[in-house]
Amino acid sequence: MMTKWMAAWAAMMTMVALGLTTTEAMATQRPDAVIGRWSNPKGTLAVQTGPCADGSLCGQIVWASPQAQADARDAGIAGLVGTQLLQGYRPEGRGSWAGRVYVPDMGRSFSSRIRQTSAGTLSISGCLVGGFLCKSQVWHRVA
């Protein structure tokens, strides 16, 4: 037999779950939800996403930590800030885009997918060869 307290708790948890689901669905349905400033997992880079000249999605490095800048210089990249990291992403479903990611310390671009997992997180993956040997990172929105 369910007590009043248990019934109230169950009702409250249902409302919270519905609210989170609705918030996440709204975030991934809005085409501009991925536009903004995002930080890599280590907090050493910030990328501003927005439309490219051709209407696809791009992302440019707008801030880099001193260590990230030193690592880039060691890899032969004089100026990390201003580098276009995300290139030519096109929508391929709700909350998902496909394009290319530039890896500065390798000096190469790879096929990539961005999946928005919540209003504040992106999962960005890059693959070496035809969708194999992939690596992904979770990036967080910067306020």
Side-chain angles (χ1 to χ4, degrees):
M1 182 170 197
M2 195 183 305
T3 66
K4 287 182 184 181
W5 181 85
M6 290 171 62
W9 177 257
M12 183 175 70
M13 293 311 293
T14 300
M15 287 189 299
V16 167
L18 287 172
L20 290 174
T21 302
T22 302
T23 301
E24 286 189 22
M26 285 171 41
T28 57
Q29 288 176 349
R30 287 186 26 229
D32 64 338
V34 74
I35 307 263
R37 189 169 289 204
W38 302 88
S39 175
N40 70 344
K42 293 181 182 180
T44 58
L45 291 177
V47 171
Q48 179 68 43
T49 58
C52 304
D54 66 359
S56 63
L57 178 73
C58 288
Q60 185 175 35
I61 298 173
V62 293
W63 177 85
S65 71
Q67 184 60 51
Q69 292 180 42
D71 291 345
R73 278 191 299 278
D74 291 345
I77 298 166
L80 189 57
V81 174
T83 299
Q84 190 165 314
L85 198 71
L86 307 174
Q87 307 164 350
Y89 285 82
R90 303 259 180 220
E92 63 169 20
R94 191 169 72 188
S96 182
W97 295 263
R100 299 198 56 81
V101 63
Y102 177 69
V103 180
D105 56 348
M106 294 178 77
R108 295 185 53 203
S109 292
F110 300 96
S111 66
S112 173
R113 290 206 176 354
I114 295 175
R115 189 172 48 88
Q116 188 166 21
T117 55
S118 75
T121 57
L122 297 177
S123 175
I124 302 176
S125 64
C127 300
L128 292 177
V129 181
F132 295 104
L133 299 172
C134 299
K135 180 181 177 183
S136 71
Q137 294 182 335
V138 175
W139 287 53
H140 298 277
R141 188 179 294 278
V142 177

mmCIF file of all heavy atoms in Angstrom, residues 20 23-28 33-34 38 95 115-123 138-141:
data_model
loop_
_atom_site.group_PDB
_atom_site.id
_atom_site.type_symbol
_atom_site.label_atom_id
_atom_site.label_comp_id
_atom_site.label_asym_id
_atom_site.label_seq_id
_atom_site.Cartn_x
_atom_site.Cartn_y
_atom_site.Cartn_z
ATOM 1 N N LEU A 20 12.810 17.344 -17.641
ATOM 2 C CA LEU A 20 14.134 17.142 -18.220
ATOM 3 C C LEU A 20 14.030 16.637 -19.641
ATOM 4 O O LEU A 20 14.753 17.085 -20.529
ATOM 5 C CB LEU A 20 14.930 16.152 -17.373
ATOM 6 C CG LEU A 20 15.369 16.652 -15.999
ATOM 7 C CD1 LEU A 20 16.027 15.527 -15.215
ATOM 8 C CD2 LEU A 20 16.302 17.838 -16.123
ATOM 9 N N THR A 23 12.968 19.530 -21.857
ATOM 10 C CA THR A 23 14.051 20.488 -22.032
ATOM 11 C C THR A 23 15.075 19.958 -23.018
ATOM 12 O O THR A 23 15.502 20.666 -23.921
ATOM 13 C CB THR A 23 14.732 20.782 -20.678
ATOM 14 O OG1 THR A 23 13.745 21.294 -19.794
ATOM 15 C CG2 THR A 23 15.857 21.770 -20.831
ATOM 16 N N GLU A 24 15.487 18.703 -22.871
ATOM 17 C CA GLU A 24 16.472 18.135 -23.785
ATOM 18 C C GLU A 24 15.910 18.033 -25.193
ATOM 19 O O GLU A 24 16.606 18.316 -26.164
ATOM 20 C CB GLU A 24 16.943 16.775 -23.288
ATOM 21 C CG GLU A 24 17.873 16.911 -22.098
ATOM 22 C CD GLU A 24 18.522 15.603 -21.719
ATOM 23 O OE1 GLU A 24 18.611 14.704 -22.567
ATOM 24 O OE2 GLU A 24 18.951 15.504 -20.576
ATOM 25 N N ALA A 25 14.669 17.646 -25.342
ATOM 26 C CA ALA A 25 14.062 17.534 -26.674
ATOM 27 C C ALA A 25 13.999 18.899 -27.343
ATOM 28 O O ALA A 25 14.307 19.034 -28.519
ATOM 29 C CB ALA A 25 12.665 16.926 -26.579
ATOM 30 N N MET A 26 13.641 19.928 -26.563
ATOM 31 C CA MET A 26 13.578 21.268 -27.135
ATOM 32 C C MET A 26 14.965 21.717 -27.565
ATOM 33 O O MET A 26 15.134 22.318 -28.618
ATOM 34 C CB MET A 26 13.003 22.254 -26.114
ATOM 35 C CG MET A 26 11.505 22.120 -25.945
ATOM 36 S SD MET A 26 10.828 23.077 -24.575
ATOM 37 C CE MET A 26 11.675 24.593 -24.651
ATOM 38 N N ALA A 27 15.995 21.407 -26.772
ATOM 39 C CA ALA A 27 17.351 21.826 -27.103
ATOM 40 C C ALA A 27 17.836 21.171 -28.380
ATOM 41 O O ALA A 27 18.525 21.788 -29.176
ATOM 42 C CB ALA A 27 18.305 21.487 -25.956
ATOM 43 N N THR A 28 17.496 19.903 -28.591
ATOM 44 C CA THR A 28 18.003 19.220 -29.769
ATOM 45 C C THR A 28 17.130 19.474 -30.990
ATOM 46 O O THR A 28 17.555 19.200 -32.093
ATOM 47 C CB THR A 28 18.120 17.709 -29.519
ATOM 48 O OG1 THR A 28 16.859 17.194 -29.130
ATOM 49 C CG2 THR A 28 19.152 17.407 -28.469
ATOM 50 N N ALA A 33 20.427 25.531 -31.535
ATOM 51 C CA ALA A 33 20.798 25.109 -30.182
ATOM 52 C C ALA A 33 22.286 24.812 -30.055
ATOM 53 O O ALA A 33 22.850 24.940 -28.987
ATOM 54 C CB ALA A 33 19.979 23.890 -29.765
ATOM 55 N N VAL A 34 22.928 24.430 -31.126
ATOM 56 C CA VAL A 34 24.352 24.102 -31.097
ATOM 57 C C VAL A 34 25.228 25.348 -31.247
ATOM 58 O O VAL A 34 26.424 25.312 -31.015
ATOM 59 C CB VAL A 34 24.680 23.041 -32.179
ATOM 60 C CG1 VAL A 34 24.678 23.653 -33.556
ATOM 61 C CG2 VAL A 34 25.984 22.347 -31.899
ATOM 62 N N TRP A 38 31.754 26.779 -26.672
ATOM 63 C CA TRP A 38 31.917 25.441 -26.093
ATOM 64 C C TRP A 38 33.356 25.231 -25.661
ATOM 65 O O TRP A 38 34.284 25.700 -26.313
ATOM 66 C CB TRP A 38 31.530 24.380 -27.125
ATOM 67 C CG TRP A 38 30.124 24.531 -27.617
ATOM 68 C CD1 TRP A 38 29.706 25.296 -28.671
ATOM 69 C CD2 TRP A 38 28.957 23.949 -27.061
ATOM 70 N NE1 TRP A 38 28.335 25.201 -28.799
ATOM 71 C CE2 TRP A 38 27.850 24.386 -27.825
ATOM 72 C CE3 TRP A 38 28.727 23.090 -25.988
ATOM 73 C CZ2 TRP A 38 26.550 23.992 -27.549
ATOM 74 C CZ3 TRP A 38 27.431 22.687 -25.717
ATOM 75 C CH2 TRP A 38 26.354 23.144 -26.489
ATOM 76 N N GLY A 95 19.433 16.915 -33.604
ATOM 77 C CA GLY A 95 20.543 17.019 -32.670
ATOM 78 C C GLY A 95 21.829 16.382 -33.156
ATOM 79 O O GLY A 95 22.707 16.086 -32.361
ATOM 80 N N ARG A 115 26.990 15.377 -31.881
ATOM 81 C CA ARG A 115 25.684 14.988 -31.367
ATOM 82 C C ARG A 115 25.437 15.809 -30.109
ATOM 83 O O ARG A 115 26.247 15.800 -29.191
ATOM 84 C CB ARG A 115 25.663 13.490 -31.048
ATOM 85 C CG ARG A 115 24.286 12.958 -30.720
ATOM 86 C CD ARG A 115 24.283 11.432 -30.610
ATOM 87 N NE ARG A 115 25.354 10.916 -29.800
ATOM 88 C CZ ARG A 115 25.293 10.753 -28.485
ATOM 89 N NH1 ARG A 115 24.206 11.067 -27.816
ATOM 90 N NH2 ARG A 115 26.328 10.275 -27.814
ATOM 91 N N GLN A 116 24.342 16.560 -30.114
ATOM 92 C CA GLN A 116 24.010 17.348 -28.928
ATOM 93 C C GLN A 116 23.262 16.447 -27.963
ATOM 94 O O GLN A 116 22.160 15.989 -28.245
ATOM 95 C CB GLN A 116 23.179 18.571 -29.295
ATOM 96 C CG GLN A 116 23.003 19.486 -28.109
ATOM 97 C CD GLN A 116 22.489 20.847 -28.492
ATOM 98 O OE1 GLN A 116 21.908 21.034 -29.552
ATOM 99 N NE2 GLN A 116 22.685 21.809 -27.619
ATOM 100 N N THR A 117 23.895 16.168 -26.827
ATOM 101 C CA THR A 117 23.315 15.240 -25.856
ATOM 102 C C THR A 117 22.440 15.936 -24.829
ATOM 103 O O THR A 117 21.617 15.287 -24.194
ATOM 104 C CB THR A 117 24.429 14.442 -25.159
ATOM 105 O OG1 THR A 117 25.369 15.352 -24.589
ATOM 106 C CG2 THR A 117 25.144 13.542 -26.158
ATOM 107 N N SER A 118 22.623 17.244 -24.671
ATOM 108 C CA SER A 118 21.757 18.066 -23.818
ATOM 109 C C SER A 118 21.977 19.517 -24.233
ATOM 110 O O SER A 118 22.818 19.797 -25.094
ATOM 111 C CB SER A 118 22.092 17.867 -22.335
ATOM 112 O OG SER A 118 23.292 18.538 -22.004
ATOM 113 N N ALA A 119 21.248 20.427 -23.618
ATOM 114 C CA ALA A 119 21.404 21.841 -23.958
ATOM 115 C C ALA A 119 22.811 22.331 -23.672
ATOM 116 O O ALA A 119 23.285 23.267 -24.310
ATOM 117 C CB ALA A 119 20.388 22.678 -23.186
ATOM 118 N N GLY A 120 23.508 21.676 -22.741
ATOM 119 C CA GLY A 120 24.827 22.126 -22.339
ATOM 120 C C GLY A 120 25.981 21.230 -22.742
ATOM 121 O O GLY A 120 27.116 21.495 -22.353
ATOM 122 N N THR A 121 25.722 20.161 -23.512
ATOM 123 C CA THR A 121 26.816 19.257 -23.879
ATOM 124 C C THR A 121 26.739 18.821 -25.340
ATOM 125 O O THR A 121 25.662 18.629 -25.892
ATOM 126 C CB THR A 121 26.846 17.988 -23.009
ATOM 127 O OG1 THR A 121 25.602 17.322 -23.107
ATOM 128 C CG2 THR A 121 27.152 18.301 -21.558
ATOM 129 N N LEU A 122 27.922 18.703 -25.932
ATOM 130 C CA LEU A 122 28.069 18.164 -27.276
ATOM 131 C C LEU A 122 29.030 16.986 -27.207
ATOM 132 O O LEU A 122 30.039 17.052 -26.515
ATOM 133 C CB LEU A 122 28.705 19.196 -28.224
ATOM 134 C CG LEU A 122 27.988 20.486 -28.515
ATOM 135 C CD1 LEU A 122 28.859 21.360 -29.411
ATOM 136 C CD2 LEU A 122 26.647 20.217 -29.163
ATOM 137 N N SER A 123 28.720 15.944 -27.934
ATOM 138 C CA SER A 123 29.658 14.843 -28.116
ATOM 139 C C SER A 123 30.221 15.016 -29.525
ATOM 140 O O SER A 123 29.480 14.975 -30.507
ATOM 141 C CB SER A 123 28.950 13.500 -27.981
ATOM 142 O OG SER A 123 29.852 12.453 -28.274
ATOM 143 N N VAL A 138 33.404 14.935 -24.953
ATOM 144 C CA VAL A 138 32.209 15.665 -24.548
ATOM 145 C C VAL A 138 32.626 17.095 -24.241
ATOM 146 O O VAL A 138 33.502 17.325 -23.395
ATOM 147 C CB VAL A 138 31.531 15.007 -23.327
ATOM 148 C CG1 VAL A 138 30.360 15.857 -22.847
ATOM 149 C CG2 VAL A 138 31.075 13.594 -23.670
ATOM 150 N N TRP A 139 32.061 18.032 -24.979
ATOM 151 C CA TRP A 139 32.320 19.450 -24.813
ATOM 152 C C TRP A 139 31.156 20.084 -24.043
ATOM 153 O O TRP A 139 30.017 19.628 -24.164
ATOM 154 C CB TRP A 139 32.488 20.124 -26.169
ATOM 155 C CG TRP A 139 33.795 19.778 -26.845
ATOM 156 C CD1 TRP A 139 34.295 18.525 -27.085
ATOM 157 C CD2 TRP A 139 34.740 20.687 -27.365
ATOM 158 N NE1 TRP A 139 35.495 18.619 -27.725
ATOM 159 C CE2 TRP A 139 35.785 19.935 -27.922
ATOM 160 C CE3 TRP A 139 34.802 22.068 -27.437
ATOM 161 C CZ2 TRP A 139 36.899 20.515 -28.519
ATOM 162 C CZ3 TRP A 139 35.889 22.655 -28.051
ATOM 163 C CH2 TRP A 139 36.934 21.879 -28.576
ATOM 164 N N HIS A 140 31.448 21.137 -23.289
ATOM 165 C CA HIS A 140 30.423 21.782 -22.463
ATOM 166 C C HIS A 140 30.252 23.243 -22.862
ATOM 167 O O HIS A 140 31.217 23.929 -23.209
ATOM 168 C CB HIS A 140 30.810 21.706 -20.978
ATOM 169 C CG HIS A 140 30.900 20.297 -20.498
ATOM 170 N ND1 HIS A 140 29.804 19.589 -20.102
ATOM 171 C CD2 HIS A 140 31.945 19.441 -20.414
ATOM 172 C CE1 HIS A 140 30.164 18.366 -19.764
ATOM 173 N NE2 HIS A 140 31.467 18.243 -19.953
ATOM 174 N N ARG A 141 28.999 23.678 -22.800
ATOM 175 C CA ARG A 141 28.679 25.072 -23.141
ATOM 176 C C ARG A 141 29.315 25.996 -22.115
ATOM 177 O O ARG A 141 29.316 25.715 -20.926
ATOM 178 C CB ARG A 141 27.171 25.277 -23.158
ATOM 179 C CG ARG A 141 26.755 26.643 -23.692
ATOM 180 C CD ARG A 141 25.250 26.828 -23.722
ATOM 181 N NE ARG A 141 24.565 25.960 -24.649
ATOM 182 C CZ ARG A 141 24.434 26.181 -25.954
ATOM 183 N NH1 ARG A 141 24.981 27.235 -26.503
ATOM 184 N NH2 ARG A 141 23.768 25.341 -26.713
#
